[in-house]
Amino acid sequence: MRQGKHLRDIRRFEKMQVDEETAIDAFAIGCCALQLEAAIDGRLGQHQITGPDGQPLLQDPSFLIYEKCKFASQMVATIGLGLNKASILVFFKDIFAVRKFKIWVDVMLVVVVGWTISFFFSNLFTCYPITALVEEFYGNNCVDTLAMWYSSCITDFIVDFIILGMPVPMVLKLQVHWHQKLAILIMFLFGTSTRETCVQTEMSTNQMGDETTMSLTEADYIIVGGGLTGCVIASRLSQNNPALHILLLEAGIDAFDNPLTKQLQGAFALAGSDLDHDYKTTPQPNTNDRLHTITAGKVLGGGTILNYGGWARGDASDYDHWARVVGDHRWSYDGQLPYMKRAEDHFMAKLDPEQRGSGGPIRITSMTESEPKHRLREPVKAAWEELDVHRNPRGDCGSLRGICELLQNWDQGQRQPANLVYNLRNVDTVTGAEVDKLGVTRDNGSKLRASSVILTDGRQFKARKEIVLTAGTIKTPQILMLSGIGPAHLLSRFDIPVLKDNPHVGKNYFDHFALFQTWKLRNQGSSDESQQGDESAYVKGLPCDWTVNEGTPPDLLLPALQADAANGKVDQQALSDPSRTLVETMVMYSALGAPVPDGSSYVTTSTMLLLPTSRGSLEIVSSSPKDYPAIDPNYYDTEADRVALIHGIRRVTEALLKTSAAKSYVECEQAPPGTPALSGESSDAEIDSRIRMAGVSHAHAAGTACMGKVVDSQLRVYGIAGLRIADASVLPVAIGGHPQATLYGLAEQAAELLLHEK
C-alpha cells in the first residue's frame, strides 16, 4: 500500500514538473511587466501634474509615449499575473486527489479567470486606450478606477491567501525531498506576492490623473500654496524623509517655459499678467482715496517668479521683538539665523561664516562682483557720507544701519525661483489647484482636525498627517475664513458654519509702504557709446549698488509715537529705541518704467518704510473662493509712519540735490505730470502731499494670520489640529529688509518643526 501511494506521489510530482514550467513562464511574464511598469512610473514621476482643466503640464514632449507605455505594461502585467495564478491552481488540481479540494480549486480558478478578464477589458474599454490623444488622458471618460482597484485587491488577497494557505499541509505530506517541497512553497509565495507588488507600484507612482490612485487622494502632508515657503517646505520634507508622500497644491501654472520669468527685464511685464493675482485694495483715505494694486504670484514659485531679487535680512532687534511678542526664542535673530543661513550660498560667506551661509540652494551676490562699475556708484556713496551716513560692510549680519551693499539672488542675471532651486522631484505637484476650503472633522474627543483640502472643481485630497497653508498673506486668511475659521460675525453673514471663532484672522495687515521718485541726470554723455560699457554689468540684476538704512531723529519720532499711543494705534515702546532702523533708500540707475521724456538719462529712488506701524485688515466678501477679499491696508495711517517717511524723502532729496558729490550728476526731480518737483527746500506739507498722491506698496504684505493670535509659536492654528500656517501671514510684527530672506528662513524652520513632530 505504502509503495503504491509513493508511486502515485512520484507520478504527481512528474506531472508537477511539467506544469511548473508553465507557472514559472507565466510568473516571468508578470514580473517583467511589473518591472517595466515601475520604470515607466518612475520616469513619469519627474513631470509636473495637471490642473483642473484636465490638461497635463508637459515638461517633456515624450510624456504621452511614457503614459501609453505604462498602460501597455499594465495590460501585459494583468495577463501575466492571471496566467500565473491560474497555472498554480491547475497545478494544485493535478497533484492532489481529494475531490473536495478539486472542487474548491475549480471555484478559485473561475474567480481568477473572471478577475483577469474583467480587469483587462475594464481598463481597455473604459479608461485610457493606447490610441488616446493627450487631452483624452485626463478627461471624464473613465470608470471609478479607485473603486476598481479596491475591489480587485480584495479579491486578489482572498485568492492569494487561499493559494498560499490551503496546500501547505498537503505539500508537506508529499513523499519528495525537502528542498523540492521548499521550492514548491516558494513558488506559491511568489505567486501571492506578485499582485501585492503590483498594487504597491501603482499606489506609489508620482503620476496624478483623474484620481486614479491612492497617491492622488491621500498624502502624508498637503502643502497649500506653491510659492516661496511652500516649495521650501515640500522639498525639505521629501529630502529628509523620502518615505513621506508630499502633495503640493498651486493655484497657478508652472511657468517654466515662459522666457519672461528668467531675467529681471521680464519682471516688469509679469506684474498684472496671468501669473499675478493682481489684487486691488479698497479706496485708501490716507492716499487720496486711491485703489492700490498688490502684486502676488499666482504661479509655481510664487513671488520668487515676480520679485526684483533684493536680499536683505532685518535688524537683529526686529527678530528679537518678534520673539518677545510670542514668547519663544526660536524666532529671535539668534534662533532664526541658522535657518536663514541654510538657504544661502553667499558670495562672501568665507569672510564671516558665522553670519553668512554657504552651500545652500540660493546664490547671494551683489554688484561688487560685477565689472565694470557704474559711474554713479562712488558719487552716490559719497553723497550719503556727506550726510554723515557711514559705510556698513556687514549690513546683512544683524545690523542694517548705514550704507550697505544691495544683496540680490540673481545668479549671473538669471532668476532663482524657489521651485527650481529647491528640488521638488519627489513631490507630487498639482497646478491649477484652486482651493475652495479645508475639510474639518471631529475626532472621538470632539476635537476639530483639518483632514482634507477641497478644490473648486470638486477634487478632494486627504492628509494623513498635517495640512500646511502657505498661500500667502491674502489667500491664507481667505481660506481659513471660507473653512469656518475666523470672525464669527463675518462668517455668519455669508452662511459659513463657524468652526472656530477667531476675530484675529485677517487683521494685523501691514506692508512696506514707499515712495518712488525719478531724477533727471545732467547731460554728461551717459547715453553715448562711450558710457554704455559701465552699465553692462547692471543687466544681471537690479541696477543698484547701495541700500541706505536710517532711523528717525528722536525729536521727530517720539512725539509722533506718543500721539499714536494716545489714539491706541501704536505701542510706544516698540519703536522708541533710537537704534531701530525705520527707512531704507535705494538709488537705481534706471527710470524703471517711469514715463520720462526721451533724450535724457534718469535714475529712480525708492524710499521705503521698514517698520510701518499702520495696521489694516482684509475680509471675505462672499462664500466663494473666486471672489477676492476686500483688502484695506490702511497705508500711511499713523503719525509715526508719516514723520519717518517724510524724513526719509527729505534725506534722499538732500543727498542727490545738495551734496557736492551728487549735485554735479543730478539736475532735478522729474515730478509726475501736473505736480511740482520736490527740492531741498520743500516743506513737510509738500512732501506729505506727494506721498498721499503717489505712495505705493512694495508688495511685502504680512501679518494677517499672526503668530500669537492665529497660530502658536510652532505655527499650529489655534483650535484646529493638523493645520499649520507657514508664510508671511504669520509675522506678528514688521521686519526690516526685504522679506524673502526672512521667509526662506521661516520655511526652513517650519520644515524642521514638521520633521521633528512626534
Side-chain angles (χ1 to χ4, degrees):
M1 291 287 292
R2 291 189 60 187
Q3 183 178 7
K5 183 177 184 299
H6 184 62
L7 290 174
R8 286 195 300 274
D9 286 342
I10 291 176
R11 293 191 190 98
R12 292 182 189 125
F13 184 68
E14 289 173 349
K15 172 64 174 176
M16 175 196 73
Q17 289 179 318
V18 176
D19 290 327
E20 180 184 18
E21 295 179 2
T22 304
I24 292 176
D25 289 343
F27 174 67
I29 293 172
C31 284
C32 290
L34 288 172
Q35 290 295 326
L36 177 61
E37 182 183 356
I40 293 171
D41 282 347
R43 182 70 178 91
L44 284 170
Q46 299 176 14
H47 297 272
Q48 299 297 338
I49 320 300
T50 68
D53 58 358
Q55 297 300 317
L57 178 62
L58 304 183
Q59 292 186 5
D60 189 324
S62 58
F63 180 88
L64 184 56
I65 296 175
Y66 283 110
E67 183 66 72
K68 291 181 178 181
C69 289
K70 176 189 173 184
F71 172 79
S73 70
Q74 288 175 333
M75 295 298 96
V76 175
T78 302
I79 297 172
L81 294 173
L83 288 173
N84 182 209
K85 294 181 186 300
S87 61
I88 291 174
L89 289 168
V90 172
F91 165 61
F92 288 162
K93 185 176 180 180
D94 289 339
I95 289 180
F96 302 111
V98 180
R99 186 171 180 274
K100 291 183 179 179
F101 183 79
K102 286 179 177 288
I103 296 174
W104 182 250
V105 169
D106 287 336
V107 172
M108 298 308 300
L109 189 59
V110 171
V111 172
V112 168
V113 173
W115 169 84
T116 303
I117 294 174
S118 63
F119 192 76
F120 178 86
F121 285 103
S122 64
N123 271 275
L124 185 62
F125 292 119
T126 63
C127 265
Y128 309 138
I130 295 180
T131 57
L133 300 174
V134 67
E135 62 269 15
E136 295 171 331
F137 267 89
Y138 296 96
N140 295 319
N141 60 331
C142 186
V143 296
D144 187 348
T145 50
L146 185 61
M148 185 169 64
W149 272 108
Y150 275 126
S151 61
S152 66
C153 287
I154 291 171
T155 303
D156 246 12
F157 285 136
I158 294 173
V159 173
D160 292 343
F161 174 78
I162 294 171
I163 290 177
L164 178 62
M166 294 294 290
V168 170
M170 302 179 187
V171 172
L172 293 177
K173 291 180 181 180
L174 281 176
Q175 300 297 316
V176 295
H177 198 274
W178 67 269
H179 63 78
Q180 293 172 321
K181 297 179 183 179
L182 181 61
I184 297 171
L185 290 175
I186 289 175
M187 185 181 72
F188 295 161
L189 179 62
F190 280 166
T192 60
S193 65
T194 303
R195 179 58 186 164
E196 281 69 19
T197 303
C198 180
V199 173
Q200 291 172 359
T201 301
E202 185 66 22
M203 291 173 62
S204 65
T205 176
N206 283 332
Q207 179 59 33
M208 285 194 176
D210 266 336
E211 303 188 12
T212 56
T213 65
M214 183 67 73
S215 65
L216 173 74
T217 57
E218 290 190 7
D220 293 311
Y221 291 98
I222 300 178
I223 316 298
V224 180
L228 185 160
T229 57
C231 289
V232 174
I233 294 169
S235 175
R236 291 305 193 195
L237 290 177
S238 66
Q239 289 175 354
N240 285 277
N241 188 349
L244 290 174
H245 179 192
I246 311 300
L247 178 61
L248 179 63
L249 304 177
E250 167 53 41
I253 66 171
D254 184 344
F256 178 81
D257 294 327
N258 188 334
L260 295 177
T261 65
K262 310 302 182 185
Q263 297 177 329
L264 175 65
Q265 293 86 339
F268 303 103
L270 293 176
S273 72
D274 58 354
L275 306 186
D276 179 9
H277 279 288
D278 197 30
Y279 295 114
K280 306 299 180 184
T281 71
T282 58
Q284 294 298 288
N286 301 312
T287 60
N288 299 344
D289 288 328
R290 288 186 291 126
L291 274 67
H292 295 253
T293 297
I294 302 174
T295 297
K298 186 180 180 182
V299 58
L300 188 62
T304 64
I305 295 289
L306 304 180
N307 68 25
Y308 295 165
W311 189 272
R313 301 173 190 164
D315 272 327
S317 57
D318 300 345
Y319 300 103
D320 293 344
H321 183 207
W322 177 351
R324 286 193 301 272
V325 167
V326 302
D328 193 335
H329 178 74
R330 81 171 73 241
W331 301 108
S332 67
Y333 181 75
D334 290 340
Q336 297 203 54
L337 180 60
Y339 302 100
M340 291 189 285
K341 288 172 58 180
R342 188 175 294 176
E344 295 179 342
D345 185 19
H346 199 294
F347 79 112
M348 296 184 68
K350 292 182 179 179
L351 297 180
D352 199 343
E354 292 185 1
Q355 291 288 326
R356 295 161 174 157
S358 61
I362 303 171
R363 175 69 176 166
I364 307 302
T365 63
S366 81
M367 287 302 168
T368 299
E369 287 193 303
S370 301
E371 293 292 346
K373 308 301 183 191
H374 197 282
R375 66 191 180 93
L376 291 178
R377 174 184 170 89
E378 293 305 318
V380 167
K381 179 166 74 74
W384 287 105
E385 289 173 337
E386 285 189 43
L387 297 181
D388 203 28
V389 184
H390 303 291
R391 176 80 169 90
N392 179 2
R394 301 180 73 248
D396 58 326
C397 300
S399 178
L400 284 170
R401 184 70 66 97
I403 306 170
C404 308
E405 288 270 4
L406 172 64
L407 300 179
Q408 309 189 48
N409 67 333
W410 297 97
D411 188 6
Q412 294 298 312
Q414 296 298 305
R415 186 180 289 280
Q416 300 180 81
N419 60 304
L420 295 183
V421 295
Y422 279 82
N423 187 354
L424 297 178
R425 177 166 296 183
N426 295 321
V427 175
D428 284 334
T429 304
V430 182
T431 55
E434 191 81 38
V435 173
D436 182 5
K437 60 183 177 180
L438 304 177
V440 180
T441 57
R442 291 187 182 273
D443 59 19
N444 294 332
S446 294
K447 186 176 182 180
L448 293 172
R449 169 172 287 276
S451 57
S452 64
V453 180
I454 303 168
L455 304 188
T456 55
D457 62 5
R459 287 181 292 173
Q460 185 168 357
F461 303 93
K462 183 178 179 181
R464 290 188 284 266
K465 293 182 179 290
E466 292 192 50
I467 297 169
V468 185
L469 289 180
T470 57
T473 297
I474 296 172
K475 197 66 178 177
T476 285
Q478 183 186 23
I479 292 173
L480 288 176
M481 288 186 271
L482 293 175
S483 305
I485 306 164
H489 71 278
L490 178 63
L491 304 185
S492 299
R493 187 188 309 168
F494 302 111
D495 297 324
I496 298 173
V498 179
L499 300 178
K500 174 63 178 177
D501 179 15
N502 189 330
H504 302 290
V505 174
K507 302 298 191 292
N508 194 48
Y509 185 110
F510 55 86
D511 202 343
H512 287 160
F513 190 65
L515 180 70
F516 286 87
Q517 294 171 271
T518 303
W519 306 83
K520 182 180 179 181
L521 299 181
R522 299 185 187 278
N523 186 8
Q524 296 185 358
S526 61
S527 297
D528 65 26
E529 191 172 313
S530 65
Q531 293 292 336
Q532 291 176 2
D534 79 344
E535 300 185 6
S536 61
Y538 292 82
V539 300
K540 296 182 179 179
L542 196 64
C544 177
D545 283 302
W546 312 109
T547 64
V548 178
N549 302 283
E550 296 188 281
T552 302
D555 62 326
L556 296 176
L557 182 62
L558 293 180
L561 288 173
Q562 291 170 359
D564 289 332
N567 293 325
K569 292 183 177 180
V570 173
D571 177 3
Q572 182 178 342
Q573 301 301 316
L575 297 180
S576 58
D577 183 348
S579 67
R580 300 297 295 274
T581 304
L582 303 184
V583 175
E584 174 205 81
T585 301
M586 295 190 298
V587 179
M588 294 161 282
Y589 313 134
S590 167
L592 292 183
V596 295
D598 295 333
S600 300
S601 295
Y602 297 84
V603 297
T604 300
T605 58
S606 162
T607 307
M608 179 176 76
L609 286 172
L610 292 177
L611 304 179
T613 57
S614 300
R615 292 294 183 269
S617 63
L618 63 85
E619 295 183 345
I620 56 172
V621 298
S622 75
S623 60
S624 171
K626 297 185 181 298
D627 294 331
Y628 283 161
I631 305 167
D632 178 14
N634 198 28
Y635 297 133
Y636 203 54
D637 185 59
T638 62
E639 192 64 23
D641 285 357
R642 288 191 283 270
V643 299
L645 192 52
I646 289 171
H647 177 72
I649 293 166
R650 184 175 299 285
R651 293 283 284 177
V652 71
T653 302
E654 292 174 350
L656 296 183
L657 298 181
K658 301 186 73 172
T659 62
S660 59
K663 66 182 181 181
S664 60
Y665 290 89
V666 181
E667 179 177 332
C668 63
E669 187 202 25
Q670 183 72 32
T675 305
L678 297 179
S679 68
E681 288 71 38
S682 295
S683 66
D684 286 355
E686 289 173 321
I687 297 174
D688 178 70
S689 177
R690 173 67 67 79
I691 294 170
R692 294 178 184 275
M693 187 271 289
V696 295
S697 158
H698 252 273
H700 295 170
T704 52
C706 76
M707 191 177 294
K709 300 290 183 64
V710 179
V711 301
D712 66 13
S713 64
Q714 296 187 56
L715 306 174
R716 298 173 296 201
V717 175
Y718 287 126
I720 308 293
L723 180 62
R724 300 195 201 217
I725 301 174
D727 56 30
S729 68
V730 304
L731 270 61
V733 296
I735 303 295
H738 292 238
Q740 65 172 339
T742 297
L743 293 177
Y744 274 108
L746 184 152
E748 291 278 6
Q749 185 160 192
E752 189 162 293
L753 285 171
L754 290 166
L755 288 166
H756 292 167
E757 182 74 12
K758 294 182 181 179

